[in-house]
Amino acid sequence: MSRTLVFTISQLLTFAAMFCCVVADVHGDAIGINFIGGPHSGGPDGPWIEGTDRFDNPIVNLLDGEVLGPNETDLNWTPGTDYSLLMNRAGVVAQANWNNLAPWSETANSSNGTPRADSSKTGLTSDEGTYFSNTKIAWEADNSWYSRNGSTVDASGNPWPAIDDGDEALMQGYIDVSSSDADVTVQLTNLPFPKYDVYVYIGSSGIQSDGRISRVRLYDYESPATMPNLSDALFYNTDGNDIPADEDDLLTDTYVLSNTGSGFFESRSDYLRATATSEFEAMNRPSNYVKFENQTSSDIQIQLYRDPTYGNMGLAGIQIVEAKNLDLVIDRNSGYAEIRNPNDIPIDIDFYQILSESGGINLDAMLTLEEQDYEGNGASGTGNGWEVLGDSTSSKVSEGYLNGSTQIAPGEAISLGYLYNGNGTEDIRLRYNDLNSDVKNIAAVYTDLFIAGDFNQDGLVNLADYTVWRDTLGSTTDLRANGDDTGASQGVVDMSDYQIWKTNFGMQAGLSSAESQSVPEPHSVSLMALLVATAMAGQRLHTSRT
């Protein structure tokens, strides 16, 4: 793979736009928590207007449980708009059935006279409608607030329109951090998914120019018993000196520069992922959600902290999305690699990278999708198929499908040839854009299950592998049967590869040579000899005609 592809500026911009967009319809199950939040201590905009919400549903007064009549509003509120009750699909990974929690409260029970938003709920509903009765969430916050910040008009002086966009509603209200209590803590226990991604949505009435910065972290625990009491869950420093010993894993703090206030966030196209790992790095990178990938603990704690000198920020919502990821499986012995879909749903991708900080990529033996003409659209260079992006190195190979995508069916595998160079450092990662979710970053799975001569990678060296060798004999592009990639046999399917197959005929993955039938029966040997002679004769005939 020595070819470098050069895109025009417009093509690259188009691809970048595709890469950043999220259109999520097919994904694993998800649990969404929307912190309703909203104003406290009175205000011009309430969660009720004439007894119904924006979906014409009767509204219940959250203070006394009374259903408001058609012309009633709560005593402390003038007619406003239900800004943050979430009924539509929403989230970076779009889902329905959000759990609406933490509504505003007028109960002044904190030290500074403002209402606290401390509570819990056992039993949460998922996107697919499953009720997980044992899953519990508990939260502690100083109060609640909302992004429109008490204003009845937008920056241009026009009345705020009603919110009918689910994503805008999600980012509107939040449980808040104030000067008297600089952190918000949320604990989730008995999460039902074996592997999942966590999306933490950050709300604020500030915009980028306000310079409001907070940091978010996630802890995982062995069990609920090892978690601290919610009221004792202080936001510890990251120097490692005062991290409690029972916290198994403290992930790196992610810093968020707020940008959701004053109508800055209006639809899903406004989602911006936070990736800054320092306050300085975040200063010019506005964002509104943090993602923690590939979590496996059933019990986690999420904390948001801000310096009391900054304006308010808080948690607008949390999304727990069941991970349905591709696998990159690499054989340690041969270096052979495949992208596999082990899930029960198809996965659509339009971009991927193979990354290795140690330089573990074998460029000479890797088989890119462009080289395979995987999508079958012929010569590359137009964006109508997979094409190598930029310069490939032993640390990075990138491919993109500018004007389309590839759907990898459940159980399907895509060969990348002999990708791994065997440098002994198993740090290769697969990064790809899932069109039905977002960008995934997955560590490769290294295995010893592949056997030399098992050209179709089904765990058994048999006549099916001979067929692969026969059909690719002489090829320098389709190297599935390149069992011997040394010396004169490097980069070509030839008789040396046949010898590899013959030597290991009958071997089965997971069994020793004594347990497998490594030496074929006499009639099998005769059959192999006949097959080889036929294959070689066919190759000579093809050569003489060309």
Side-chain angles (χ1 to χ4, degrees), residues 101 118-122 136-139 230:
L101 306 176
D118 304 345
S119 192
S120 64
K121 185 179 189 302
T122 300
K136 179 180 179 180
I137 181 172
W139 61 93
L230 195 62

Side-chain angles (χ1 to χ4, degrees), residues 163-200:
I163 295 176
D164 57 7
D165 180 89
D167 295 288
E168 186 178 4
L170 170 62
M171 300 301 293
Q172 180 57 220
Y174 51 92
I175 51 177
D176 193 14
V177 177
S178 71
S179 58
S180 64
D181 190 357
D183 68 276
V184 170
T185 302
V186 175
Q187 293 179 344
L188 284 151
T189 54
N190 297 318
L191 292 171
F193 308 133
K195 182 181 287 188
Y196 56 90
D197 298 329
V198 182
Y199 296 80
V200 182

Side-chain angles (χ1 to χ4, degrees), residues 35-64:
F35 295 117
I36 299 172
H40 57 76
S41 302
D45 300 316
W48 303 304
I49 176 170
E50 297 186 352
T52 60
D53 64 17
R54 63 182 180 279
F55 306 103
D56 296 322
N57 299 316
I59 285 294
V60 176
N61 185 324
L62 298 176
L63 296 181
D64 56 22

